[in-house]
Amino acid sequence: MTPSTHPPAHSPFLQGLNPKQLEAVTLPPEPALILAGAGSGKTRVLTTRIAWLIATGQTSPLGVLAVTFTNKAAREMMGRLSAMLPINLKGMWVGTFHGLCNRLLRAHHKDAALPATFQILDSQDQLAAIKRLMKSVGENPENDAQKPKELQRFINGFKERGMRPQAITSADSYNQKFIELYQLYEDQCQREGVVDFGELLLRSVELLSRNTALRDHYRSRFQHVLVDEFQDTNPLQYLWLKALSTPETGLFAVGDDDQSIYAFRGADVANMRRFEREFAVQHLIKLEQNYRSHGHILEAANQLIANNQGRMGKNLWTDAGVGDPIRVMEAPSDLMESSFIVEDIRALIQEGYSRDEIAILYRSNAQSRVIEQSLFNAGIAYKVYGGLRFFERAEIKHALAYLRLMENPHEDTAFLRVVNFPMRGIGARSIEMLADEAKRQGSSLYTASGLLDGKAGTAIRGFVQTIESLRFETQGLTLPRLVETMLERSQLIAHYEKDREGRERIENLRELITAAAAFMVELGQPADFPATAQADADTMSPLAAFLSHASLEAGDNQAGEGERAVQLMTVHAAKGLEFKAVYVTGLEEGLFPHQQSADDPDGLEEERRLMYVAITRARERLSISLAQTRMLHGQTRYNMRSRFLDELPEGCLKWLSPKRSHRSVVGEAWDTPRMGGYSAGGGHPPAHLGNAGFGTVGVARPPALASAKGHESGFAVGQRVGHARFGEGVVTGFEGAGPDAKIQVSFRQAGSKWLALSVVKLEAL
C-alpha cells in the first residue's frame, strides 16, 4: 500500500471529528503534544489516530506501540480499533507501562538476567517479601508495623527515579540502613526469580540502555508511539519512552496538565514541558471543545484553574448550553450537610435519575462515614467505589499462590503464604528453621525443605509433596481444569466449607475457574490447549500468562463501576469517570484544599487541579457543599470556607443557604443571603431540608459557642481572629490558665499554632 498523509475518502471513522480532533488525528509522523481537556474526546482521538495511520498505509499494527495507564483503557482501545479496522490486531503492542514491560522482559529474559518463569509481585506480595527480608536480618517488623511500609516506599521511590542502591548516597544512618536493605531485597528477588512493579520498568530501561542492538530494533519497529494520560508519567516511565523513541519517531503524547493529581505517586507534570523541549515538538494542539458538561460547569472550572501558574493553557467550551447553575450549600454541621445531599438525591431519583448516574465526591476517605450513614438510613443503595478487587481478595491470593508454586516452586513469597494454609501443623518455629537452612544453603525454601529433619521437616515435606503431585497431575490439563483441580487438591474449598461465613469465599474461588476460561478466550488459544504448554519459544504458557495477568490486574488502580447504586469516592478515584449529577463535599480550608498543602505552592496548585477534576466530572448537575463544623478523627473542627469557592464565578453559582460575606465560622450571624429559594428575612428553607437547625434568620448555634466570652482571655472557640504575622485564623482550643494560658489558632496560611496569651496580640474579627 502506498503511504498517504491524507485521510482516505472511505474512512468513516474520521467523520464527526471536530476540526481540532481531525487536525490531531492526521498530523504528520513527528513528535506531537495534544492538550486534551476534560471531556474533549481524547480516547477517540488516540484510537482514531492509530486507525488512520494503519488505514493510510503509514504503518502496520506491528509498528504501533500504544501506552495506557489502566488495563481497562487498553481493552477499550483495542475494542474500538477492532470495530474500526477489519484486520488482525493480535500483534499490536497496546497496554499499560507495566504490561508492556512484562512483555518486553518475557521476550528477552536472558538478556535481562531473569528466569523464563519469573513471577510478578503485586504491592501486597512485595510488602510480604520485605517483612520476610527484615526478619532474616534480625529485624522484627512486628515491633514497628510502619517500618516495612516505609522501606517499601523507599525502594519504590528510588526505582521510579531509576536508581539502584549503589547510586544512592546518604550520610543519614537511618537511610543508610534502608539502602543496605534495598540491596538485600534486590538480592532476594533475583535469587527467587521475582520482580515487583517498579522492577518491570527499571529493568526494561536498563536493558534498552545497555543493549544498543535491541534498542535499535525496537526503535526501528515502533515508528509510532502513542501515550495516554501523559501528565501522569513519572521520571522512569518518561525514560522508558525516551529509550524507545528518537526525534524522528511519531511520539504522540496526549495529556492534560490541569488534571495532574498524582504527584504523591511519583507523577511529574513537568514531563509535558520536558517532552516539548527535548523532542522539539512543533505540533501542540489543544482540544478544548467539551462534550460532557454544560456551560456553567465549564466556566467555573476554567476560572478556578486560571489561578494556577505555569499552565500550558486552554479554555474549555461547549455548544450544549449553559445548563443549571452550580448549587452551593453551606450547612451548620457535617450531619446536616449529608442530610441535604441525601434528601436532594432522593428528589433526583424521583425525577428519574438512575442511582448509578449520581456520585458523591470527597477529598478524604474519613468524610464518607457520615454520608454512608445518611444514605443507609434513607434506604438509598450506595457503593463505595474502589473496594477490594477480585484478584486482591484473600482467598483468591491463596489460590494464586498455589498456582504460582506450580509454575515456579522456588518463589518464597508464594511458599510462605500457603505452606500452612489451610493449616497443616507447620508453626512459626518450623518456618524459621526452614528459613535458616535456606539461608545457609543459599537456596529457596522449597529446595531446603528436603534438608530439614524431625516433625517440622516431615510436615513441610508433606506440603512440598502436595505441590509436586499437583504439578504432575495437571500436566496436559486445560487452564480452567488445572485451576479446578488445584482448588480441590489444595483443600481450599474444603477449608472454607467449614467456615460459617465461607460461602462468599467459595463463590469467589469458583469464579477463578470462570476467570481462567475467559482468559483463554482472550488469549486466543483453543479451549483444549494445555495450561503448561507453550505455543512457541517466544510465548508464555497459559498458566504463566494468567498469573501475570492476575498480578497486573491487582496493581491496576482502576475499579469497576457499580450498578444501580449511588457512587461514593474520593476525587482522586473519580478521575476518568463522569456522572449526570455530582456532589463535591467538604469545601473547607484544611480539608479541601488539604491542610498539608496550604503552605506549599506546588501542593496548593495540585489541590486546585484536584478541584478542577471534581468539577469536570459533572455532566448536568453540580452541587458543592461545606460544613461549618465537622467531626473528623474524633475531634470537632470549626471551619472556614474554602478559598476555592471564592475563585468560582459568582454568576454560575446558586446559593441554597445564606451566603456569608467572609469565610467565617459557626457562631456568627449570617449575612442577608444571595440564595436560591428562600431568604433569611422571613422565607423558608427548601422543603426537603425541613426546619432542622434552620431558623428564619440563620442557624441555631451550638450551646458551647453561644457566648463570645468562652475563655478568660475574652476569646472563644470558633471565633475568627487576626494576627500581624500569621494572618486570619480560627480559635480551636485553649490550654492552661493565668500567665501560662495558651490559645490554639488554625491559621489559613500558617496552619495550626499554639500561642502564649500573655505575649500574643490577636485581633477579634
Side-chain angles (χ1 to χ4, degrees):
M1 184 186 295
T2 303
S4 168
T5 57
H6 299 287
H10 61 274
S11 298
F13 46 79
L14 294 181
Q15 297 174 9
L17 296 176
N18 68 40
K20 285 296 182 181
Q21 289 175 332
L22 183 62
E23 182 184 355
V25 165
T26 58
L27 281 172
E30 300 171 5
L33 180 58
I34 313 301
L35 284 183
S40 63
K42 71 176 178 64
T43 303
R44 183 182 184 188
V45 167
L46 267 170
T47 51
T48 308
R49 168 74 172 176
I50 296 172
W52 179 78
L53 288 169
I54 294 172
T56 55
Q58 297 182 65
T59 189
S60 72
L62 297 179
V64 173
L65 176 72
V67 191
T68 68
F69 266 83
T70 68
N71 291 307
K72 178 183 174 184
R75 287 191 293 268
E76 181 182 353
M77 185 177 292
M78 286 299 288
R80 291 194 187 193
L81 285 169
S82 296
M84 289 181 182
L85 298 170
I87 58 176
N88 186 356
L89 301 173
K90 186 177 179 181
M92 184 180 291
W93 282 44
V94 177
T96 64
F97 280 100
H98 294 134
L100 293 172
C101 286
N102 175 54
R103 187 169 179 175
L104 177 70
L105 292 176
R106 295 286 176 187
H108 307 285
H109 64 89
K110 288 184 180 178
D111 289 332
L114 287 170
T117 58
F118 75 82
Q119 295 296 316
I120 303 170
L121 299 178
D122 65 19
S123 296
Q124 293 180 38
D125 289 330
Q126 183 192 27
L127 187 60
I130 286 172
K131 289 179 179 178
R132 176 160 46 84
L133 169 70
M134 293 175 70
K135 285 183 179 179
S136 74
V137 296
E139 292 200 20
N140 188 356
E142 307 301 328
N143 295 337
D144 184 355
Q146 290 304 311
K147 193 169 183 179
K149 294 180 180 178
E150 289 176 16
L151 178 56
Q152 184 181 38
R153 287 193 293 269
F154 180 88
I155 292 170
N156 292 342
F158 278 106
K159 283 193 177 186
E160 287 172 359
R161 291 157 61 184
M163 297 177 69
R164 295 291 185 190
Q166 55 270 26
I168 308 170
T169 57
S170 174
D172 184 291
S173 60
Y174 188 80
N175 282 340
Q176 186 59 45
K177 182 63 178 177
F178 269 24
I179 294 170
E180 294 171 6
L181 288 171
Y182 179 8
Q183 182 62 61
L184 291 173
Y185 169 77
E186 287 213 319
D187 296 341
Q188 174 179 287
C189 289
Q190 185 66 31
R191 184 173 63 250
E192 296 175 11
V194 297
V195 296
D196 54 42
F197 288 138
E199 187 69 20
L200 284 171
L201 270 159
L202 181 52
R203 198 167 291 225
S204 295
V205 169
E206 291 172 341
L207 174 64
L208 293 169
S209 297
R210 69 171 179 268
N211 192 327
T212 56
L214 191 66
R215 182 176 69 242
D216 291 344
H217 163 74
Y218 280 107
R219 283 180 170 181
S220 175
R221 172 178 173 174
F222 297 128
Q223 290 297 305
H224 295 276
V225 178
L226 301 94
V227 191
D228 193 11
E229 305 286 7
F230 193 74
Q231 77 282 350
D232 293 334
T233 54
N234 64 34
L236 186 58
Q237 289 163 342
Y238 182 64
L239 283 176
W240 185 78
L241 290 168
K242 286 182 67 177
L244 288 167
S245 308
T246 69
E248 290 72 42
T249 303
L251 183 48
F252 188 86
V254 180
D256 183 1
D257 57 328
D258 290 334
Q259 294 189 75
S260 178
I261 59 172
Y262 294 121
F264 68 95
R265 291 183 187 167
D268 187 359
V269 68
N271 280 345
M272 298 185 77
R273 291 287 191 190
R274 199 170 287 124
F275 167 60
E276 185 181 21
R277 180 179 65 254
E278 293 178 358
F279 282 79
V281 172
Q282 300 298 311
H283 306 286
L284 192 155
I285 296 177
K286 300 178 182 180
L287 304 182
E288 298 173 300
Q289 184 173 359
N290 179 282
Y291 293 93
R292 177 188 300 161
S293 308
H294 288 156
H296 280 317
I297 294 170
L298 297 181
E299 185 178 347
N302 287 332
Q303 185 159 318
L304 172 86
I305 203 65
N307 289 279
N308 274 4
Q309 305 298 312
R311 297 173 58 233
M312 302 189 83
K314 63 184 179 310
N315 212 49
L316 299 178
W317 62 275
T318 182
D319 56 12
V322 296
D324 293 336
I326 299 167
R327 293 139 38 88
V328 184
M329 174 65 190
E330 182 173 16
S333 69
D334 52 352
L335 287 171
M336 294 189 69
E337 179 192 32
S338 63
S339 294
F340 156 72
I341 292 169
V342 168
E343 291 304 317
D344 204 62
I345 287 174
R346 195 197 298 273
L348 286 181
I349 293 171
Q350 291 174 352
E351 290 177 23
Y353 277 68
S354 176
R355 288 174 176 82
D356 57 333
E357 295 174 330
I358 302 169
I360 304 173
L361 311 184
Y362 34 80
R363 176 64 182 85
S364 167
N365 274 310
Q367 294 171 246
S368 74
R369 184 190 62 81
V370 174
I371 299 170
E372 289 187 60
Q373 181 179 330
S374 295
L375 287 165
F376 178 81
N377 291 341
I380 297 175
Y382 70 91
K383 176 184 176 182
V384 179
Y385 184 93
L388 280 178
R389 295 177 284 276
F390 181 78
F391 288 110
E392 293 176 329
R393 294 169 186 167
E395 62 274 17
I396 299 301
K397 290 186 73 66
H398 289 323
L400 291 174
Y402 275 100
L403 293 175
R404 284 160 63 174
L405 287 173
M406 292 166 67
E407 171 68 13
N408 173 15
H410 302 290
E411 190 195 331
D412 287 355
T413 299
F415 186 99
L416 288 172
R417 184 176 189 94
V418 292
V419 65
N420 196 40
F421 192 91
M423 292 181 65
R424 47 180 61 90
I426 300 173
R429 177 58 185 153
S430 298
I431 294 173
E432 183 178 343
M433 290 167 60
L434 178 63
D436 290 342
E437 186 62 34
K439 189 174 181 180
R440 279 193 295 272
Q441 300 296 327
S443 69
S444 68
L445 298 174
Y446 196 90
T447 300
S449 64
L451 305 173
L452 214 58
D453 297 323
K455 184 179 178 181
T458 301
I460 292 174
R461 280 192 295 276
F463 167 71
V464 169
Q465 183 58 47
T466 298
I467 300 300
E468 287 296 333
S469 297
L470 275 170
R471 299 182 78 198
F472 176 79
E473 292 173 18
T474 55
Q475 291 297 313
L477 294 184
T478 64
L479 183 61
R481 187 74 182 92
L482 180 146
V483 173
E484 184 178 16
T485 302
M486 176 276 298
L487 291 175
E488 296 298 334
R489 291 278 285 107
S490 67
Q491 299 293 304
L492 285 173
I493 295 290
H495 169 79
Y496 288 116
E497 283 176 342
K498 299 173 186 175
D499 188 343
R500 286 190 308 171
E501 300 177 359
R503 179 184 296 179
E504 183 177 345
R505 295 183 185 274
I506 292 172
E507 289 175 356
N508 289 337
L509 289 171
R510 295 292 186 198
E511 183 62 20
L512 189 63
I513 302 171
T514 307
F519 182 75
M520 289 299 290
V521 174
E522 186 177 329
L523 209 59
Q525 293 285 13
D528 60 351
F529 192 87
T532 55
Q534 291 178 258
D536 55 61
D538 295 325
T539 60
M540 290 184 282
S541 69
L543 176 57
F546 183 62
L547 291 170
S548 292
H549 162 77
S551 293
L552 292 168
E553 282 285 334
D556 197 338
N557 62 7
Q558 289 287 348
E561 295 185 32
E563 296 180 2
R564 304 297 177 186
V566 174
Q567 304 288 291
L568 275 63
M569 66 192 76
T570 64
V571 183
H572 279 103
K575 187 171 178 293
L577 304 178
E578 59 181 73
F579 304 90
K580 267 191 175 182
V582 170
Y583 296 82
V584 185
T585 65
L587 263 291
E588 300 136 28
E589 285 294 310
L591 187 56
F592 202 179
H594 197 277
Q595 182 65 50
Q596 293 178 349
S597 302
D599 299 329
D600 176 13
D602 292 338
L604 182 59
E605 293 212 343
E606 178 142 336
E607 290 288 305
R608 189 174 284 112
R609 292 194 293 268
L610 197 57
M611 182 62 183
Y612 176 86
V613 167
I615 291 172
T616 54
R617 298 311 93 196
R619 295 203 300 266
E620 297 178 0
R621 185 164 172 144
L622 175 63
S623 300
I624 298 174
S625 61
L626 63 150
Q628 295 177 352
T629 63
R630 182 177 301 279
M631 180 70 75
L632 277 178
H633 312 302
Q635 295 183 335
T636 300
R637 295 170 45 150
Y638 302 90
N639 307 310
M640 290 190 293
R641 194 168 70 232
S642 169
R643 71 192 76 191
F644 294 158
L645 277 169
D646 295 334
E647 295 174 0
L648 301 180
E650 190 65 33
C652 295
L653 307 182
K654 177 180 181 180
W655 287 81
L656 302 183
S657 57
K659 184 191 175 188
R660 296 170 291 154
S661 58
H662 300 287
R663 273 183 281 117
S664 52
V665 297
V666 68
E668 297 184 17
W670 282 8
D671 301 322
T672 301
R674 282 165 275 179
M675 295 178 294
Y678 68 104
S679 68
H684 300 283
H688 63 265
L689 289 177
N691 292 312
F694 288 90
T696 55
V697 177
V699 298
R701 302 179 185 179
L705 300 183
S707 169
K709 303 292 182 181
H711 186 264
E712 62 185 34
S713 63
F715 295 108
V717 171
Q719 186 173 2
R720 196 162 54 91
V721 296
H723 185 276
R725 177 182 173 190
F726 301 132
E728 183 181 326
V730 178
V731 177
T732 57
F734 297 95
E735 184 180 275
D740 297 324
K742 295 180 181 179
I743 185 171
Q744 186 181 34
V745 182
S746 178
F747 291 102
R748 172 187 164 189
Q749 299 291 349
S752 181
K753 295 189 180 295
W754 281 99
L755 305 170
L757 278 165
S758 59
V759 178
V760 69
K761 293 183 179 179
L762 292 174
E763 176 187 3
L765 300 178

